Amino acid sequence: MSLKLNYKKISPNILEACWPPEIRQSILMEMMIMKKRIISEWHDELWDVNLGYHCLSLHFKDHFSLNQVVSKLETFCSEKFQQEVIKRKRWSIPVLYEGKDLQRVSEITKLDISDIVKLHQDKPYLLHFYGFMPGFMYLGGLSPKLFAARKDRPDPVIEKGSLAIGGKQTGIYPMDSPGGWNIIGKTPLTLFNLNKQPPLQAQPGDEIQFHSIEKTEFESIQKEIANHQFELKYEYI
Amino acid sequence: MNISEGQIEVIKTGFYSSIQDLGRFGQGHWGIPAAGAMDRQSFALANHLLQNDPNDACLEMTMLGDELKFIGYTEIVLTGAEASIQLNGSKHPINKPVKIKNGDILKIGPFTTGFRMYLGIKGGFQSPCILKSRSWYKGITENFRLKKGALLPFKTHQSKSNTPYAKVAIDESLLKNKTLDVYAGPEAEKLPRSTFEQLFEKNFHLSAQQNRMGIQLKEPLVNELKEILTAPVYPGTVQLTPGGKLLILMRDAQVTGGYPRILQLSQTAISCLAQKKQGESIRFNLVDTY
């Protein structure tokens, strides 16, 4: 790749490398390759490498030299990354599409509930990054037909596993939380599990495919999870 | 020396207390905030005075202290905010390690100067370590704020001789200083020059909207900036909200945000701000990152 990135020194410890301000899969893939390079280059010197839609941040443990780090990043940019393979997975997430705000979304979108459910699981979503709260996925790819403004009055508690639409975005609440998004369904899965290492399985760059399940299946998956028999399904893409 | 399990029993809670260490680093890419001590300087002092590990967990108290009973022998130190402190009914000093006996009762009143106090304990609190940190955070650790009746574990410590403690110069400017060193934020260049300059000419006051996640300032700015594509944010990031209010993110801040990031506080400035209460005034002082 030959990239022209914009570098910003945020503090003596933090550097951001920014791509053009767009939500694009190609930008995400370049960021993931870059992140891999960054971690192998500065592993022990970094606290963390975080992503937004177009900015990648390097949080160093100590002060860093802007010139040295940027010139290294520039070398990465000019190298050929064709051989670089980021193994991506497509995760299959079962959803019971019976959320309490489906009617509201139907009124906003002027679509029948059955069409909303069909359209929502029509295509996989791209996981850009985690943010907002622990384990909350920023997913790209919601059909503009399903855009539905957030509620003026947020719900005091949205249950863990709830699938929702908030404006131009869709996502799953990984834990109980107040929130203003429209609830359209619920997954029986525990996506954010502190008893597992790592606590989440899907990585930025992976895809999330929702598929509709009935109440009986929802309950049987819940039982399997309780008996530690359920494995989250994925395929390589 | 004898090491076994000791506990602090919470007799009465103050305003908001939690166990904190330096934070949960390296988990931001899962959306998990770093958390950690709001005033790192006073936190570091507590561990230093006890010759602890720099990351040993302390109890962070806000605005008003707790009443605590010690079950087991140890040594403690209190740093940060100033308050009337009593150990078994007698006046107890700040910034000085003191030996604790089984059954001792520590009572800390409202803070007179400063907003956060740290109770350091020999060897650090032993509450569960989740994702390499003991810092309490809702949804990550079982507890997120101290409750009456809670039991906080520590390793008991009893030495016959007095441990020689290093003499430390206490940095008093932390509580008194009103000037916060800041770097220009990544979206600062989008602000009109006159608006940017106002940031360094005005006094700002802390509003009532404040907690471990962030502190909102009272005085609004004229804001014509649009929201940005969601990007990383950090403790100390100053966001400009659509209503023109300045929101300074603190240790429990989420890891990404969509408001323009116009300033970034230095580490010292974050500690200094953590000691300010509602209504107090601050000024920003622009410094270079180099």
Side-chain angles (χ1 to χ4, degrees):
Chain A
M1 59 186 177
S2 82
L3 298 174
K4 193 81 200 93
L5 301 183
N6 191 2
Y7 301 98
K8 289 170 185 169
K9 192 168 182 182
I10 308 274
S11 77
N13 296 56
I14 304 171
L15 176 74
E16 272 186 14
C18 293
W19 277 249
E22 290 167 49
I23 301 178
R24 273 214 325 250
Q25 177 162 352
S26 60
I27 289 178
L28 173 59
M29 294 311 149
E30 287 172 1
M31 289 170 89
M32 292 307 290
I33 294 169
M34 202 61 161
K35 182 175 169 174
K36 217 170 140 186
R37 289 283 165 114
I38 287 165
I39 289 171
S40 68
E41 177 73 28
W42 290 290
H43 185 260
D44 289 333
E45 293 161 61
L46 288 166
W47 280 127
D48 220 341
V49 183
N50 289 347
L51 302 182
Y53 282 115
H54 69 114
C55 294
L56 184 149
S57 87
L58 293 80
H59 194 162
F60 287 95
K61 290 177 184 172
D62 284 311
H63 292 193
F64 65 95
S65 148
L66 183 65
N67 286 343
Q68 276 177 24
V69 174
V70 167
S71 80
K72 198 81 200 178
L73 293 174
E74 290 284 285
T75 327
F76 296 160
C77 288
S78 62
E79 284 168 7
K80 294 218 182 304
F81 281 174
Q82 273 88 343
Q83 288 90 343
E84 202 80 39
V85 183
I86 298 275
K87 272 194 183 166
R88 299 170 62 216
K89 293 172 180 170
R90 180 179 297 145
W91 300 88
S92 184
I93 311 280
V95 174
L96 175 63
Y97 280 97
E98 282 184 7
K100 68 180 181 68
D101 299 320
L102 271 173
Q103 188 56 43
R104 192 186 123 90
V105 175
S106 170
E107 282 158 24
I108 296 172
T109 60
K110 311 235 170 2
L111 293 170
D112 289 342
I113 287 177
S114 61
D115 291 333
I116 294 169
V117 171
K118 206 172 144 200
L119 198 53
H120 191 267
Q121 56 185 310
D122 189 38
K123 278 187 294 188
Y125 296 88
L126 182 63
L127 170 54
H128 281 267
F129 55 91
Y130 288 95
F132 172 50
M133 68 168 102
F136 190 89
M137 300 176 189
Y138 276 74
L139 298 176
L142 180 67
S143 163
K145 289 179 190 162
L146 292 177
F147 290 177
R150 288 162 215 206
K151 291 187 260 184
D152 291 336
R153 247 190 265 165
D155 290 313
V157 183
I158 292 180
E159 278 177 43
K160 179 192 101 171
S162 295
L163 178 63
I165 293 176
K168 298 175 181 176
Q169 298 184 79
T170 189
I172 305 165
Y173 281 81
M175 53 177 74
D176 291 355
S177 155
W181 288 26
N182 305 287
I183 310 304
I184 59 167
K186 195 175 178 183
T187 176
L189 307 183
T190 300
L191 297 171
F192 180 55
N193 188 346
L194 283 165
N195 298 321
K196 286 191 175 164
Q197 188 55 6
L200 293 137
Q201 290 180 276
Q203 294 279 350
D206 286 356
E207 288 183 352
I208 303 295
Q209 174 72 60
F210 296 113
H211 70 268
S212 183
I213 54 167
E214 299 297 323
K215 185 114 201 232
T216 48
E217 202 178 340
F218 186 95
E219 284 162 358
S220 70
I221 293 173
Q222 271 183 325
K223 270 185 208 142
E224 285 176 43
I225 290 171
N227 298 328
H228 305 286
Q229 289 163 336
F230 187 86
E231 285 291 328
L232 196 53
K233 290 174 192 69
Y234 66 84
E235 54 184 6
Y236 283 102
I237 48 176
Chain B
M1 204 166 84
N2 162 35
I3 289 183
S4 68
E5 302 305 304
Q7 283 177 325
I8 284 180
E9 186 189 339
V10 180
I11 308 289
K12 212 172 146 190
T13 51
F15 175 66
Y16 187 104
S17 302
S18 63
I19 296 287
Q20 298 293 336
D21 54 20
L22 285 171
R24 197 164 274 111
F25 289 98
Q27 305 294 332
H29 59 280
W30 298 120
I32 300 171
M38 291 281 277
D39 168 5
R40 266 196 200 170
Q41 223 165 296
S42 302
F43 168 87
L45 177 64
N47 280 329
H48 182 77
L49 288 170
L50 291 169
Q51 296 182 345
N52 275 352
D53 184 276
N55 195 31
D56 278 346
C58 295
L59 181 69
E60 178 183 278
M61 293 171 266
T62 312
M63 196 165 78
L64 170 67
D66 305 296
E67 188 176 332
L68 309 165
K69 183 180 175 183
F70 290 83
I71 306 164
Y73 288 77
T74 184
E75 271 177 272
I76 61 160
V77 69
L78 293 160
T79 61
E82 290 164 8
S84 148
I85 307 163
Q86 291 191 324
L87 182 65
N88 303 323
S90 304
K91 203 166 182 292
H92 180 89
I94 197 159
N95 297 330
K96 190 171 180 283
V98 172
K99 287 193 166 60
I100 293 287
K101 302 184 306 297
N102 189 19
D104 279 357
I105 290 183
L106 182 72
K107 216 169 160 177
I108 303 157
F111 301 167
T112 48
T113 310
F115 201 56
R116 288 189 168 85
M117 184 188 278
Y118 292 86
L119 167 64
I121 196 159
K122 191 79 182 171
F125 284 99
Q126 300 299 308
S127 47
C129 191
I130 311 284
L131 299 172
K132 296 181 202 154
S133 168
R134 299 185 200 275
S135 287
W136 286 5
Y137 184 84
K138 198 176 182 178
I140 302 292
T141 50
E142 200 185 325
N143 301 306
F144 65 96
R145 80 184 283 180
L146 197 64
K147 289 188 188 131
K148 189 182 167 174
L151 297 168
L152 302 172
F154 62 87
K155 290 180 201 153
T156 57
H157 172 90
Q158 206 177 354
S159 72
K160 282 180 187 134
S161 59
N162 280 321
T163 327
Y165 290 104
K167 282 262 183 226
V168 184
I170 310 294
D171 179 8
E172 288 179 348
S173 68
L174 184 76
L175 297 185
K176 289 177 186 154
N177 200 356
K178 294 183 183 307
T179 305
L180 306 178
D181 283 350
V182 293
Y183 314 109
E187 278 76 54
E189 59 200 28
K190 293 181 183 166
L191 284 175
R193 191 74 221 167
S194 60
T195 310
F196 186 67
E197 280 167 1
Q198 273 182 38
L199 287 167
F200 312 102
E201 288 159 1
K202 277 167 99 159
N203 281 316
F204 290 93
H205 293 82
L206 277 73
S207 78
Q209 272 79 52
Q210 61 156 304
N211 53 32
R212 286 188 38 92
M213 287 176 78
I215 296 171
Q216 191 173 294
L217 302 180
K218 274 184 194 161
E219 293 78 5
L221 288 185
V222 176
N223 179 21
E224 285 158 1
L225 297 189
K226 280 192 279 193
E227 292 196 18
I228 59 168
L229 274 186
T230 303
V233 292
Y234 317 92
T237 298
V238 184
Q239 295 180 313
L240 183 58
T241 67
K245 290 287 177 71
L246 297 174
L247 176 62
I248 309 178
L249 300 179
M250 297 299 277
R251 298 285 174 201
D252 278 358
Q254 55 192 61
V255 301
T256 58
Y259 298 145
R261 306 160 297 170
I262 59 170
L263 298 171
Q264 176 69 36
L265 269 63
S266 72
Q267 286 296 337
T268 310
I270 298 173
S271 291
C272 185
L273 181 62
Q275 290 296 355
K276 303 278 176 275
K277 55 181 170 285
Q278 181 193 345
E280 280 195 73
S281 76
I282 51 160
R283 281 182 86 93
F284 293 121
N285 176 46
L286 188 64
V287 295
D288 216 320
T289 49
Y290 302 95

